[in-house]
Amino acid sequence: LPKDLNGKELAKKIKEELQENITSFTHAFRVTPKLAIVAVGEDLSANVYIKSKQSACKKVGIDSVVFRFPETASLEQIKEHLHELNADKSVHGIILELPLPAHILYDEAVSSIDPAKDVDGLHPVNLGLLFSGKPLFIPSTPRAVIRLIEEYKVPVEGKDVVIVGRSLAVGKPLYTLLLGKNATVTTCHTKTTNLKSHTRRADVIIAAVGKPGVIKADMVKPGAVVIDVGINVTESGLVGDVSYDEVYPVAGLITPVPGGVGPLTVAMILENTLRAAEINVNNFNHHRRLYGVKGSESG
Ligand SMILES: NC(=O)c1ccc[n+]([C@@H]2O[C@H](COP(=O)([O-])OP(=O)(O)OC[C@H]3O[C@@H](n4cnc5c(N)ncnc54)[C@H](OP(=O)(O)O)[C@@H]3O)[C@@H](O)[C@H]2O)c1
């Protein structure tokens, strides 16, 4: 039996379905879903990521536009631009690309995005909705992990799931999503003493660290499912956080890097953009009114 959790294949299937749904949507409402990507400064790997998002958008029938600001742009400038995008009826989804220069305070900037257009799901309102169990947009990477778990019918109910990493974009949303699936969830981080004692008893390990080789063979219970979110650029190419070659024989199922969570994350952004367009045509303006978003269509 193949042991790989093939994210690339699943992403392809999702994108094919999505393309059909977008065609019907565009036909029914005479509206083409549109994603706006805002990037500040020049970051090489972010640029690669932006390009892959744009080409994926094009393939499924989503319009995309990138707004680039110089490193020296002010927080006020970025916030103003986000308010303009909130008010722009042709734009359905907005992404504020990371990394940002230090003076562009992420919390403040992301809070300027209309929650109904926040396809990354990182606006405090969307995180709050997620943690209250009524999400509007689920952040793409955690959602990609859940889709992989569902596709491969990985049992999580009543199981020990150990997440390594507690970022707002990955580890924390995963924690609440897996609790929702009745897993017993442990979240580890840099202050965790004896990481191995946790991972070793896990039925499912999810690594979202950003360092190669954090998960080694002796840290994995034989037969455990290992999901690697990490993307690290090394001299030998792109690798995850898991020492794939040595963990492979021990694991029950494992994600390759590349070809695991990465391609699925992009597919989830596309899905969220269609959802944003649907919300828009269904005139869910109450979200905007409720949260007093500046520059909203409803004033
Ligand atoms: N596949 C995809 O599509 C996708 C999408 C997003 C991100 N990523 C990748 O996923 C990785 C994580 O991303 P992120 O945004 O969550 O990163 P992040 O914000 O840097 O968070 C990393 C987390 O890992 C923890 N950590 C670091 N070193 C550790 C160690 N030795 N032992 C245990 N915990 C440790 C940190 O703990 P503290 O909180 O204590 O600092 C932190 O919570 C990166 O490689 C990123 O490139 C992939």
Side-chain angles (χ1 to χ4, degrees):
L1 215 69
K3 276 191 174 187
D4 275 337
L5 293 159
N6 193 332
K8 202 174 165 186
E9 204 171 276
L10 177 56
K12 190 166 168 262
K13 194 172 92 181
I14 291 171
K15 281 193 260 184
E16 279 163 9
E17 280 171 18
L18 200 54
Q19 189 174 15
E20 279 176 32
N21 292 341
I22 289 170
T23 305
S24 327
F25 174 86
T26 302
H27 188 78
F29 297 103
R30 305 271 158 226
V31 170
T32 305
K34 184 170 171 183
L35 177 67
I37 300 173
V38 178
V40 190
E42 277 292 326
D43 183 87
L44 220 58
S45 61
N47 281 344
V48 173
Y49 194 38
I50 291 171
K51 277 208 185 100
S52 78
K53 283 184 213 174
Q54 283 204 286
S55 88
C57 278
K58 198 168 175 197
K59 275 194 195 127
V60 298
I62 293 175
D63 283 343
S64 70
V65 56
V66 181
F67 298 94
R68 286 183 193 283
F69 287 85
E71 186 87 32
T72 51
S74 69
L75 175 62
E76 269 321 302
Q77 247 179 308
I78 302 304
K79 284 166 71 170
E80 230 167 78
H81 185 72
L82 292 171
H83 292 154
E84 279 168 26
L85 292 173
N86 288 343
D88 184 338
K89 283 192 179 187
S90 76
V91 170
H92 306 106
I94 304 170
I95 285 179
L96 181 59
E97 202 60 42
L98 293 174
L100 290 169
H103 67 280
I104 307 292
L105 306 172
Y106 183 72
D107 286 357
E108 274 207 43
V110 82
S111 298
S112 304
I113 298 173
D114 180 343
K117 294 189 177 187
D118 171 38
V119 289
D120 265 344
L122 296 174
H123 186 290
V125 163
N126 280 321
L127 288 171
L129 288 170
L130 175 65
F131 274 76
S132 66
K134 299 176 200 70
L136 182 64
F137 294 109
I138 299 173
S140 334
T141 305
R143 202 154 148 255
V145 172
I146 297 295
R147 283 295 275 271
L148 212 48
I149 285 173
E150 287 172 350
E151 175 74 10
Y152 284 88
K153 300 190 169 54
V154 174
V156 289
E157 180 159 328
K159 301 290 182 187
D160 279 324
V161 178
V162 171
I163 304 167
V164 190
R166 57 173 165 181
S167 71
L168 207 55
V170 189
K172 276 184 194 167
L174 265 175
Y175 169 80
T176 192
L177 288 167
L178 287 158
L179 267 189
K181 288 189 165 293
N182 297 319
T184 302
V185 191
T186 305
T187 309
C188 301
H189 43 80
T190 53
K191 302 289 185 285
T192 299
T193 49
N194 201 352
L195 179 62
K196 183 173 151 181
S197 70
H198 296 281
T199 58
R200 187 67 202 172
R201 58 173 175 74
D203 301 301
V204 180
I205 299 172
I206 303 170
V209 178
K211 285 177 194 154
V214 168
I215 306 295
K216 299 182 170 59
D218 67 348
M219 299 167 78
V220 179
K221 178 168 81 175
V225 175
V226 180
I227 299 177
D228 192 350
V229 177
I231 297 178
N232 306 294
V233 182
T234 69
E235 278 174 9
S236 49
L238 215 64
V239 299
D241 298 336
V242 177
S243 300
Y244 180 86
D245 291 341
E246 65 170 71
V247 171
Y248 186 91
V250 184
L253 288 168
I254 185 166
T255 50
V257 177
V261 178
L264 270 177
T265 294
V266 175
M268 295 300 103
I269 292 168
L270 304 176
E271 269 195 4
N272 276 354
T273 304
L274 173 60
R275 180 157 164 69
E278 285 167 351
I279 288 169
N280 189 275
V281 299
N282 286 326
N283 207 13
F284 274 15
N285 273 325
H286 65 273
H287 281 285
R288 302 197 176 91
R289 280 195 291 274
L290 205 57
Y291 305 118
V293 176
K294 266 198 215 168
S296 70
E297 285 155 34
S298 55

